[in-house]
Amino acid sequence: MSMDALTESFFGLFNYWIVIVLMMIGFYTVISHDNLVKKLIGLNLFQTSVFIFYISMGKIAGSTAPILTSGDAVYANPLPHVLILTAIVVGVSTMALGLALVVRIHEAYGSIEEDDVLAADYERRDEEDETERQRSARAQPPGDARDDTKPSEADNGGQTG
Amino acid sequence: MIDTLFSQMPALVVVLPLLAAPLCVLWHRSTPSWLTYLVVTWACLGLAVLLFVQVKVGGPISYAMGGWPPPFGIELRLDALNTLVLLLVTGIAAITSIYARASVAAEIPRERGYLFYAGLLLCLCGLIGITITGDAFNLFVFLEISSLSSYGLIAMGEKRRALLSAFQYLIMGTIGGTFLLIGIGFLYMMTGTLNMADIASRLPAVADTRTVEAGLAFIVVGLSLKLALFPLHVWLPNAYAYAPSSVSVFIAATATKVAVYALIRFLFTVFGAAYAFGTLPLGEVLILLSVAAMLSASLAAIFQTDVKRLLAWSSIAQIGYIVLGFALASASGLAASLVHIVNHGIIKGALFMTAGALFLRLRAISLNDIAGMGRQMPWTSAAFVVAGFSLIGVPATGGFISKWLLLEAVIEDGQYWLAAAILISSLLALIYIGRVLEALYFREAAAHQSPVAEAPWSMRAATWALVILNIALGLYATPLVDAAQRAARSLLGAGT
Amino acid sequence: MSGAMSGAWLPWLVALPAIMSLIVAATGRWPNLREGVSVATAVAVFVGVASFAGPVSSGLRPSVTLFEILPGVGMTFTLEPIGLVFALVASGLWSLTTIYAAGYMRGNDEHAQTRFFVCFALAISAAVGIAFAGNLITLFVFYEMLTLSTYPLVTHHGDTESRNGGRVYLGILLTTSIGFFLPAIVVTWLLTGSITFTDGGLMAGAGMGTLGAAAMYALFLYGTGKAALMPFHRWLPAAMVAPTPVSALLHAVAVVKAGVFIVLKLTVYVFGLDFLADTGASKPMMWIAVITILGASLIAMTRDNLKARLAYSTVSQLSYIVLGASMATSLGVLGGTMHIAMHGFAKITLFFCAGAIYTATHRKNVSDLDGLGYAMPITFTAFFLASLSLVGIPPMGGTWSKWYLMAGAADSGQTILILVLAISSLLNIVYLLEIPTRAFFHNPRPDTPRHWQEAPWACVIPLSITAAGCIVWFIYPVPFLALLAPWAP
């Protein structure tokens, strides 16, 4: 591969490499970290990479910012910028909601580590499951009690065959 | 004046809930908020009916937001497909408004009631927006609106587990939405436009590029997360189980169905069936995933002790049916898919309503808790019986019609193993519905359980309205099937 | 169909029992009035159905389509001879069963009697719906309605045993119907473009090969779980947990009769006798029927519990009818349809007797019935007569159905089937006639109280009537031959 081609494919597409790197860092952070706030940060990184992606695709070689000035000028495509403004708002709302949830989780569980929260949940769930199992074992259909006094008409006649 | 009103209907149906949400916040009280919700949802339903009729008679409607003509401005485009889905969404919202009064009063603290209704209205606005928009990025925005509001609504559940469920849903949902955004970005890169019809016309020229293929992949994965297709379904059981009952009803009946609609819209209108299913092996992949969903989720449902969780897993299985339908990429498969979108919305809505009614009286919803309620809450239990039978596919109910059409589509295609998979998962559904019915009718109420009254009449009325609609669609399915077939033909025929 | 006629009354006849079930529910507090409503409705339905006998015999086929369920598929009712016979049997025996049930339920102080009679009415409505169905979808709707309406009857006692029996019942019936019958209907629809019952068979012109036709026939027949073909017969013995009037209903009046009726209807109107005879597509199922006949008879001999023995006897007798259908000859169809009535009368008598014995003596096993014939002469005589009818000995009605089945076997060239029917009759003698033999020719057990006598009159009179009916049908089979003229020699 010639130096020129390498340069073109790496430096020419530099923005997109950054997008991929940020995206993967963000994604990895979301998946691997237990701390809820860190997850949100990872999510934010993930979303930011997409912003950069959009802006990168809107750039036209030799263009300037898409703000009208007097005289001839080549403007970068303003549409992606608009899209990104919308997406940033969406990102901010998501972040706000996520952080609000983290605050509530902290109030309820006393921790913002997912491991601790899940452990508390599983403990509770195990208790509940055990209670449910005991209740199921004790349960009996209503007719069983009723027919105790007289012989049941049915018989297990058709057991084999 | 009336003419002006009629011509603005598409915008009205989105804007009305959007404006009503802050109005609820302004009221700051629960009852006026509920009244606002009631009025707005029924108004939206009326608008949806008018739009449906208009499209049926006069063909697709195109509405330019703000007067800016497409493809530069945002276009709202109503055709046979989305007017049907719009009817479902607004219908469910309207019925939920009757149901929600008593349910919300019992589950949400009084001082937060207005926020709840504001959230519901925002969610409704988002869902309606997804349904009728003709612009790809606009779809993303409305998707995020509906998702964000549903995260907040789910977090309002009583148990603290609702918080983590909402958080996990938030993480996964945002990743899904972002994937969708990336996919749309790729499409924009290659075609230079965001208007769906415009993309469709420009795409064939650039379809062979890796960018477009990657775009398709990202869009499919992103929307699959939203519609909880196996294996991206992990968020759903917790989210449905711990959300407040009205939220479960509303979201189970609509949110995933609207995501399915979005996927159908992208696959058939934007990319075109020939490209999506012909050139790429998307059909095979979706079929495999949907079969996995149908079988594994039905199996999982059998082992659940919590009724709402059971219904959530059942939903994942039913979404498998819906995806199977359109993954066949045939007119009959697509029509079967659309019929089941409507029928399942009604069935799941009714089932979650009965679960909510049981929860209202019993304050708990495991199989042991609902034991013996068949005698104490006869109307609610009977509603569960009928809706459960519909889920299994007993004739004279809507579920049977869906199953019939799906079997027809699958056998027509010659895929007998798919027919076997559909029937096996119906029988699995028989088992898990049977477990709930046995708990309701064949067990004594728990010893410490004091006798409970039947659910409030408003909840009963809403539940039975859905149940009766379900039976009506089971006995007289022709209008629905006709509408679905028209929609399928328009999707496959014209391509736009 | 050979000659149309407006069937506007047909939906009313189907709906009448269901509508009257509401009245039954409302009159729950006055038992005699409640039972009177059931009996009156039964008589009304019988008379209504009988009024169609004339037109149908002369070749008319009353038909009506109520509304469209799916595009191109409607809820259609069409009356033809086999359906007419089934409807007459069902409605005729319903009134008798109601009287018997009244005596039995009151004699045993059963709970939830109103629910019982309401479900009875709904089951009859479903059975008449099946009898009148004009296409496969209508048939399927009412078939499922029959399963669901009889479920509360099977699980009537509400105890663990009933619940388990109900699970087997519902499990097998719903599994076979959804798993086999439904895809069979869909495939038929796709292959032939229609699911309407047609003279000469729907599939006849579809150009299906032998293998495909055989597979479809098997799919349909196994899909009809109520016909109790092995190995899907287990629901019938499992349903023994129900009170005896329910068993009578299940075995004689509605449920299994609906199953074999559907088999006959499928054979004649979906596949067509000529098509089946030409392709031999029904042969595999014919052999399944043979296995069921012999296998169930053998199992019946090993059962000491009377009701279990009768249950396996029913499984065996049902396959007579399936055999008659799968022989693909007219006489076979004639014999099979007559057997619906003959077996109905005989079996209902046997079950009525079993219930009467239980009500009077609380004895359930055959080995405990020694010498009871002198305490309960009417009951055991009726039992004896009904057994003779099932064996096929004159002067009992069962002779005719067996005769025509054998003639059909000869017609089809499968003479081995005549041997099978003969062997089966011998087995029937062994396991059925043991009971009257023990009752009349053995000494009573030492612990038999002296005061035992017949069951209440409400139990005894119906069983006497049905036993007498067995004799009457021998002497006077003309109604059947007239109605079933298309298949008579």
Side-chain angles (χ1 to χ4, degrees), chain C residues 184-275:
Chain C
I185 301 180
V186 175
V187 173
T188 310
W189 169 252
L190 286 172
L191 266 180
T192 63
S194 160
I195 48 172
T196 315
F197 291 124
T198 321
D199 274 334
L202 185 59
M203 301 270 217
M208 260 173 79
T210 307
L211 202 57
M216 285 301 294
Y217 196 70
L219 204 59
F220 265 117
L221 256 60
Y222 271 133
T224 315
K226 295 198 172 82
L229 284 166
M230 283 184 169
F232 297 110
H233 66 287
R234 277 292 283 128
W235 64 268
L236 199 49
M240 288 302 100
V241 294
T244 304
V246 176
S247 304
L249 177 75
L250 257 55
H251 290 251
V253 182
V255 178
V256 296
K257 293 292 172 289
V260 287
F261 163 73
I262 290 174
V263 170
L264 283 167
K265 196 128 183 189
L266 288 169
T267 308
V268 176
Y269 294 110
V270 173
F271 286 89
L273 288 175
D274 292 327
F275 176 70

Side-chain angles (χ1 to χ4, degrees), chain B residues 389 392 394-396 400-401 404 407-408 411-412 423 426-427 430 438 442-443 474-478 481-482, chain C residues 67-71 75 137 140-141 144 148 151 155 163 167 174-175 178-179 182-183 185-187 189-190 195:
Chain B
F389 282 155
I392 298 170
V394 170
F400 172 71
I401 303 290
W404 168 276
L407 278 174
E408 216 186 315
I411 294 182
E412 211 175 49
L423 294 169
S426 296
L427 297 172
L430 175 61
E438 276 191 0
F442 278 103
R443 303 235 316 248
L475 287 174
Y476 187 53
T478 312
V481 177
D482 270 340
Chain C
F67 51 79
E68 214 181 35
I69 302 180
L70 282 166
M75 174 140 307
I137 274 232
F140 193 59
V141 170
E144 298 292 37
L148 295 173
Y151 177 73
T155 57
R163 188 173 75 174
R167 257 191 219 165
L174 281 180
T175 304
I178 295 179
L182 181 58
I185 301 180
V186 175
V187 173
W189 169 252
L190 286 172
I195 48 172

Side-chain angles (χ1 to χ4, degrees), chain B residues 199-258:
Chain B
I199 298 179
S201 61
R202 295 196 197 185
L203 205 57
V206 291
D208 271 339
T209 55
R210 230 181 295 167
T211 320
V212 171
E213 286 168 19
L216 176 65
F218 272 106
I219 291 177
V220 169
V221 174
L223 285 173
S224 299
L225 241 165
K226 285 290 179 183
L227 61 94
L229 179 63
F230 183 94
L232 302 168
H233 62 283
V234 186
W235 57 269
L236 197 146
N238 281 336
Y240 282 18
Y242 297 119
S245 304
S246 312
V247 172
S248 296
V249 171
F250 185 63
I251 291 186
T254 55
T256 41
K257 317 290 173 299
V258 172

